[in-house]
Each structure stands twice: as C-alpha cells, then as structure tokens.
Amino acid sequence: MFQSLIDWLDRIGPRLQRAFLEGDRWKLYLQGLGTTLELTVIALIFGVLLGLIVAVIRSAHDQQRPGRRNPVLGILNVLCQIYTTVIRGTPMLVQLFIWTFVIFPSQRNKILVAFIGLGVNSGAYVAEIIRGGLMSVDAGQSEAGRSLGLSYFDTMRFIVIPQAFKNILPSLGNEFITLFKDTSLAQAIGGAEMLYYASTIGGRTFDYMPPLLGIAAMYLSVVIVFTWLQGKLERRLRESDRR
Amino acid sequence: MIDVKNLSKSFGDHLVLDDISQHIHPGEKVVVIGPSGSGKSTFLRCLNLLELPSKGTITFQGTVITDPKVKIDQVRQQMGMVFQHFNLFPNMTIRKNITLAPVRTGLMKQEEADAQADALLQRVGLTDKADAYPSQLSGGQKQRVAIVRALAMKPQLMLFDEPTSALDPEMVGEVLDVMKELARDGMTMVVVTHEMGFAREVGSRVLFMADGKVLEEGPPAEIFGNPQHPRLKDFLSKVL
C-alpha cells in the first residue's frame, strides 16, 4: 500500500512531463486557452448585442398602452419570445449539434459555428437579464424623461439603460462565467479549444489525468481572477452611489 | 391654451375620470384639489399624455394632441412637469439633469444650456449644487432642481403633480416660494396639491374633484369662502 503510493508518486513526474512539456505541449494548452477566451468574449459580445435588442423590443412592447399597440412590435415581440423560449428550453449541446450538423453541415470552421451557437444561446439569457434590469429602474425615471420631450430611445439611452447597467452587472458576470465554461462544449463539434487539446493529448499519451486536471485548474484560475475583478468593479460603482 | 373635451379615463373597469371638460387659459393658475383617489393626478397626467385618455379630446394651442398621429415628444417639450417624487436622474449631475433635454431635443447647444442652467439655479438659490449628484441634495433642493429642469425647456405651461407631498414639512415652504415666483412671472400653471394656503394665495381658479368629476370650480375666495357642494364642504372641513 505504502509502496504503491511511492510508485505512483515516482511515475507522476514523467506523466506530467509527457502531458505538458514533451514536444512543447504546453503551447497547445495556451493556444486552447486563447481560443476559449476568444470564444467566450466574442460570444458574449454577440450575446449582449442580441440580448439588448431582444430586451428593448420586449420592454418597448410591454410598455405600450392598450389600444395603441404597434403591430410590427407585436410580431417582433412574438419572435423574441419564441427565441428565448426555444433557446432556454433546449440543451446547449443539442443546439450546438443542430448548428453543426443541421444548419451548417458543410462549414469546416467549427470555431465559427461555435461562436454562433454560443452567442445565440447566450443572447437568450442576456435578454432576460437586461429585461430584468430595465424593469428594475423606477417608472418615474422614464416618465420624467418623456415629460421633458425626450424620445423613447433617448430616454432609454441616457436615463434608463445607464441605471439598469449597475443592476445588471452581477448577473452579467455570472453569464460570462457560465459561457466561459460552456465553451468546452465546442470540443464535441470539433472546435479546437482547451478541452479539445487536453483530450487529444490525453489520447496520444494514453494518460488523461494530467491534461484534464491541468485544464480544470486553468478554468478555475480564470474564473477566480474574473470574479475578483468583477467584485472590484461593483464596489467602485457602488461607491459612486454614495457620492 | 388647453381645451379638454369630454375626457374619460378608465383603468380596466374602474372609471377614474368621468367626462371632464375644461379650458385652461394662458396665464391662468389652475389649482386642483380633492380627496385622494378623486382622479386629480390622472387628470393632470392626461394633459401631457403620460396617461392616454380612454375617451375625449385634448387640444393644446390648436393641436389635437390626443390624435395618434401627433408627435407627442414635440408637444411635451412645451409642457413642463414636476412630479411628487422629483424623479431626478440619479446617474447625472444636477447640471446634466437640467441640460440633457434642451440639448438632446435640439433646443440649444451645450454651452447655451449650461449658461441657462447656471442662471436658473441661481434663481432658486442652488448655484453651488450644479456639480452635485441628486443623492447629495435634500428633498426641497431636489424639487427645486426638478422645477428648474422643467423650466429649462422653456415650456408654455407647467404641470405640478403634488409637488410638496413627499417633502418634510420644513421644506415645503422653499418649494412653494419658487412656485409662487413662477406664478408672478406669468407662467400658466396647473397644480394638483393639498396645500390649501397655496391654492388660496396663488390660484386664479380652483377645481374641486371627487369621483372622477369636477364637482365645483371657481375663484379661491368662493371655493374656500362659500362652498356649495356638500362634498366640498365635507372635504374642506377635514383639511382646513
């Protein structure tokens, strides 16, 4: 028992060496991390833009007065509702498979497909986050803006959205973390991100433990750093409240 | 200036305004009083279409503003409104609160608007607060800024929705003083208030509303000195 532990420890050095150092494999991990971060950031930007549009359409629709409903807005609102319902009601991996094998079967660039899949997915969640944020701003604020003669969009842009942003930030940070981890699903469609390299190396060296634990640690470190940054930003925004 | 014809408003089955017709003349100071739930605030909010009337028409300076085709933002630029809860924009400085609308609507350039903001702030004695944020102001100061913010659009008409109801008693006076000065300068005003002293002193006409109707109207001396309607007598006996 004691002996086997010593043997195991004895072998760990060479195993780590094979997983990370041999043939400069550490570069592959970093390359994978780069792709993962890229996927996260671009998908999140895409998701936030999409989510903002959906959220503004949905709250503009909800704020209409009875009897004066705009039919175009009504149609857009139904489309947005279908979008959020379908995306939030089906598994992320199933969506990625549908994008890859049903919608873009001939697209070779799997990372591109992953951008779209993750971005569209994230948009649905971000839309609900932003909508909640917009609703959290007191109705008197937009009434005051409109009573001054500002247009609906100016009122949103200068008055409601900046105030909503502060309330949205924590949930948006969570969405970033979720999305960051969900990028690992791109491996299943052949996207060359961090998990893809780790499992390839694991397969090649017949040893999965070091690369998988390695990337787990990398995911964790990024999340910890990000959470810390987010906390700092939130504290700063709160300080401006007390001015 | 404003002509209201057969205005009705209901929320669901609840009839809040029942067939009101009124005319507000330029320079007039109309004070609306009445028990809570009588529809006074809804009436006021209908005038700049923050509430859409269920029936009836509102004409402002010859334009039928209840017509869906009317560009309501342009109409609202000529009507200032002051709210019970101030509704200053907490994410901007006082100066920015005042200049945002005139600049964005193209009424003036930023420099002009800044100069005007300083002049208006001086008028209400808040020059030193231009760079402060709303959270640093007292209730009375906030409401004075809210009045200035509305005035910055150079409105033809000012609507006041219970402007002193959310204030601590010692701050009511400073806000009423600003409103009195505005009245002396000839501004057309419609004021929903519980301040009977103000109604008596400043009002050129008092409307007494109850159950969505104007039950009695007239000059303050008659409304307060010689009330006719039993509801008004009852109301005055409680508030005076």
Side-chain angles (χ1 to χ4, degrees), chain A residues 120-131:
Chain A
V120 168
N121 180 275
S122 166
Y125 290 93
V126 173
E128 291 301 296
I129 293 173
I130 295 180
R131 205 164 68 92

Side-chain angles (χ1 to χ4, degrees), chain A residues 65-66 68 138-152 154 157-160 162-163 240-243, chain B residues 45 48 50-52 66 68 73 76-77 79 81 83 87-92 100-101 104-105 133 135-136 149-150 153:
Chain A
R65 321 285 171 133
R68 275 202 188 179
D138 178 35
Q141 289 289 312
S142 57
E143 281 184 358
R146 297 306 303 277
S147 79
L148 287 164
L150 292 171
S151 65
Y152 175 77
D154 272 0
R157 182 173 153 204
F158 294 102
I159 299 160
V160 179
Q163 292 182 55
S240 73
D241 272 352
R242 273 188 249 113
R243 258 185 307 219
Chain B
R45 290 162 58 84
N48 68 351
L50 281 183
E51 300 292 349
L52 278 183
T66 36
D73 293 339
R76 284 182 182 142
Q77 285 166 24
M79 301 190 196
M81 182 154 189
F83 299 86
N87 298 346
L88 293 182
F89 310 132
N91 54 325
M92 303 170 199
L100 177 73
R104 285 302 301 175
T105 55
Y133 281 82
S135 59
Q136 297 166 304
R149 178 176 70 179
M153 289 299 293

Side-chain angles (χ1 to χ4, degrees), chain B residues 187-217:
Chain B
M187 176 64 79
T188 313
M189 295 162 73
V190 183
V191 185
V192 171
T193 188
H194 294 289
E195 293 294 328
M196 295 305 146
F198 177 84
R200 206 182 293 212
E201 188 185 332
V202 178
S204 44
R205 183 156 55 109
V206 177
L207 307 183
F208 171 68
M209 283 184 72
D211 303 328
K213 292 193 179 88
V214 176
L215 292 185
E216 193 164 338
E217 64 178 291

Side-chain angles (χ1 to χ4, degrees), chain A residues 4-235:
Chain A
S4 63
L5 185 66
I6 291 172
D7 286 349
W8 188 82
L9 284 174
D10 217 21
R11 280 195 304 272
I12 201 83
R15 284 172 76 185
L16 291 178
Q17 145 120 42
R18 258 201 311 282
F20 296 107
L21 298 177
E22 219 175 80
D24 278 346
R25 285 197 173 121
W26 56 274
K27 282 186 185 160
L28 292 178
Y29 292 95
L30 288 186
Q31 203 180 322
L33 178 64
T35 312
T36 291
L37 287 173
E38 213 178 303
L39 258 178
T40 313
V41 170
I42 296 183
L44 191 72
I45 291 171
F46 188 47
V48 167
L49 290 178
L50 201 59
L52 189 63
I53 295 169
V54 171
V56 168
I57 289 174
R58 292 211 50 197
S59 28
H61 176 268
D62 292 350
Q63 280 165 15
Q64 286 183 106
R65 321 285 171 133
R68 275 202 188 179
R69 295 197 179 277
N70 181 335
V72 180
L73 210 51
I75 294 169
L76 287 175
N77 181 56
V78 171
L79 288 178
C80 291
Q81 264 176 319
I82 293 174
Y83 163 66
T84 47
T85 310
V86 169
I87 294 293
R88 299 205 303 163
T90 54
M92 173 84 230
L93 190 55
V94 174
Q95 291 169 26
L96 271 182
F97 275 20
I98 291 173
W99 285 110
T100 313
F101 302 115
V102 182
I103 302 176
F104 299 119
S106 52
Q107 174 59 258
R108 292 272 181 82
N109 187 346
K110 299 303 180 196
I111 289 293
L112 191 67
V113 179
F115 278 145
I116 297 171
L118 288 167
V120 168
N121 180 275
S122 166
Y125 290 93
V126 173
E128 291 301 296
I129 293 173
I130 295 180
R131 205 164 68 92
L134 294 179
M135 285 194 297
S136 73
V137 177
D138 178 35
Q141 289 289 312
S142 57
E143 281 184 358
R146 297 306 303 277
S147 79
L148 287 164
L150 292 171
S151 65
Y152 175 77
F153 283 101
D154 272 0
T155 305
M156 287 301 261
R157 182 173 153 204
F158 294 102
I159 299 160
V160 179
I161 291 178
Q163 292 182 55
F165 179 72
K166 212 177 289 184
N167 305 336
I168 288 171
L169 206 63
S171 328
L172 212 55
N174 283 339
E175 177 60 21
F176 179 88
I177 289 172
T178 308
L179 193 61
F180 172 67
K181 291 177 298 176
D182 279 354
T183 53
S184 60
L185 293 170
Q187 185 263 351
I189 60 167
E193 44 68 70
M194 212 154 48
L195 178 59
Y196 177 90
Y197 286 114
S199 44
T200 309
I201 292 167
R204 198 162 299 162
T205 58
F206 304 106
D207 188 2
Y208 279 96
M209 191 204 75
L212 288 181
L213 290 189
I215 61 162
M218 287 163 79
Y219 278 115
L220 185 60
S221 329
V222 172
V223 169
I224 289 173
V225 169
F226 179 76
T227 311
W228 176 73
L229 283 176
Q230 191 193 349
K232 259 187 103 156
L233 180 60
E234 273 169 38
R235 268 194 301 282

